[in-house]
Structures are given as C-alpha cells and as structure tokens.
Amino acid sequence: KAGVTQTPRYLIKTRGQQVTLSCSPISGHRSVSWYQQTPGQGLQFLFEYFSETQRNKGNFPGRFSGRQFSNSRSEMNVSTLELGDSALYLCASSLGGNSNQPQHFGDGTRLSIL
Amino acid sequence: AQKVTQAQTEISVVEKEDVTLDCVYETRDTTYYLFWYKQPPSGELVFLIRRNSFDEQNEISGRYSWNFQKSTSSFNFTITASQVVDSAVYFCALSEVNFGNEKLTFGTGTRLTIIP
C-alpha cells in the first residue's frame, strides 16, 4: 500500500511569491492534515480537511490556505511568501471519521525562501 | 490548552545501551490519545505507537517499550539494546478523542544519537 505522497520534495522561492504544495493520502484515507516544522517553533498544526471540508485550523495567518478534492488529495497554498515561511511542510493522512486510527505522514516538502 | 514537554533536547548513548526518552503532557481533557513518532534524517515522521488515556497498560514491541503513568502525566519511551539505526529525532504527541479532531500537539522532540 503506497504511503502519503508529497510533491515537490524541495522548493525554492523568493519573498512575495506564492507556492502550492500537494499531498496524496494513503488510499482510503479521507482526512488530511498539514503541519509546519521549523527549528524555532517545532511542529505546528496548520489545518485539517475531511471530505473536502476544513474541520480544524491552527494559528496561522490567512496567507496559509488549503483545500481538499473529492479524491481526498489536498493542496496547501501560501501567498506573499516571507522568509519565516522557510520550513518543512508535512502532510498526514488518516481514515478520519470515527475510525480512531493514527495519522501517517509523508516525507514532507522542504520550502526555502530567498 | 494541550501541551507536551520533552525536556531532553539531545541524548547520546553507546550502542547496546538502554535509553529512555521522557514525555510529560498537559491537557484538560479526560480522554485523549498519546503518540510517539520517529523522524529519521529523511524527514518522514514514522508512527510508533498510540495509547488511549483509558489504557494504562505498559506496552512492549521488540526492543521498544512504553510506560504510561496517568498519575504523573507521563508517557516515557525506552529503547533496549540500542542500535545505530535508532538514531533519529523522536516526538511525543497528544490529541483529543473527539470526532472531527485530528490535530496533534507535538513536543519539541529529542534527538537521539547512538554511537557505534
């Protein structure tokens, strides 16, 4: 069974640009969560989608947004990039609903802002 | 608010030694899940274990064991006879047990280095 797939693995952008990251969950998983990992702040929850609806949102500015498609694939968008957005962005999927199953993570997208 | 504290930032041990990683949590919820994840240099977070707050039984899986003590809000992880492949950053995490809430609150992680 294929794991969580995130693309691209690495990305370099400049300040002010915008970026879209993609996440394909494990087959059958309907919940997709996004996390930002930085040396200073550690792992922080961005948001979670289930059946194309955002169910939870972390404490990030509106420049960070996401969406989920009918096949459960998810994208995350960051607009007007800032130097502080440089981070490893991790996507996690789970069955969701009342399944009480743990989340499984992808390899992440490492975003560098110049 | 939920909080997870991993006081040990870095630990180094010689191969074959036992090592315990500490995790202390705070939550107002009466039911919750606790997790341990491993992050090797590749970056992927690898799921190791999930424990429901109702289940205080310790668990052993091969060289790994977990000690959950609700009275002290701790969920410690022990690796017995450590190996070089155990070198990684280990994260303890906490989540609510609520339909519709998949959010994980992570600790800051413990970097474990196993010296050959």
Side-chain angles (χ1 to χ4, degrees):
Chain A
K1 199 174 189 181
V4 178
T5 304
Q6 290 187 247
T7 57
R9 287 296 310 277
Y10 302 93
L11 206 48
I12 300 175
K13 292 286 186 179
T14 57
R15 281 183 300 174
Q17 287 187 310
Q18 66 128 22
V19 68
T20 299
L21 312 182
S22 180
C23 173
S24 292
I26 291 172
S27 178
H29 284 192
R30 296 166 63 194
S31 170
V32 174
S33 299
W34 289 88
Y35 293 82
Q36 181 197 63
Q37 185 177 23
T38 60
Q41 300 298 317
L43 278 155
Q44 292 188 288
F45 173 77
L46 279 156
F47 29 64
E48 184 244 344
Y49 287 86
F50 178 79
S51 292
E52 302 178 66
T53 300
Q54 187 182 88
R55 291 197 299 193
N56 280 296
K57 190 177 191 307
N59 190 25
F60 278 81
R63 299 185 298 107
F64 292 82
S65 63
R67 58 177 175 168
Q68 187 180 35
F69 302 95
S70 58
N71 62 358
S72 294
R73 189 177 71 85
S74 177
E75 287 182 347
M76 189 192 104
N77 186 276
V78 188
S79 62
T80 319
L81 286 165
E82 301 176 359
L83 292 177
D85 297 333
S86 294
L88 178 67
Y89 290 89
L90 290 162
C91 168
S93 77
S94 69
L95 288 169
N98 267 333
S99 68
N100 291 329
Q101 293 299 308
Q103 294 179 42
H104 295 271
F105 285 78
D107 289 340
T109 294
R110 190 165 294 280
L111 175 63
S112 298
I113 311 302
L114 303 179
Chain B
Q2 299 183 329
K3 184 179 179 182
V4 176
T5 300
Q6 295 179 258
Q8 304 153 308
T9 306
E10 295 190 31
I11 300 176
S12 294
V13 299
V14 176
E15 195 174 18
K16 296 183 184 175
E17 287 186 351
D18 299 346
V19 58
T20 295
L21 309 183
D22 297 333
C23 173
V24 174
Y25 62 92
E26 296 174 30
T27 179
R28 287 180 290 187
D29 297 326
T30 54
T31 58
Y32 46 88
Y33 285 118
L34 293 164
F35 303 78
W36 276 95
Y37 282 88
K38 172 183 179 180
Q39 188 175 42
S42 60
E44 177 186 3
L45 278 169
V46 178
F47 167 76
L48 296 177
I49 189 172
R50 185 188 66 177
R51 172 66 68 214
N52 187 311
S53 56
F54 284 144
D55 183 2
E56 289 195 65
Q57 273 192 319
N58 291 330
E59 180 154 343
I60 298 175
S61 176
R63 297 184 296 108
Y64 295 171
S65 62
W66 291 269
N67 183 327
F68 175 32
Q69 292 198 336
K70 209 167 180 177
S71 60
T72 57
S73 297
S74 66
F75 186 44
N76 296 337
F77 172 31
T78 297
I79 301 175
T80 303
S82 60
Q83 299 176 2
V84 173
V85 293
D86 295 328
S87 296
V89 181
Y90 290 85
F91 291 93
C92 180
L94 173 68
S95 77
E96 297 178 17
V97 180
N98 278 331
F99 171 73
N101 191 343
E102 301 275 341
K103 174 187 173 183
L104 289 169
T105 299
F106 284 91
T108 51
T110 297
R111 182 178 298 278
L112 176 63
T113 302
I114 308 300
I115 303 166

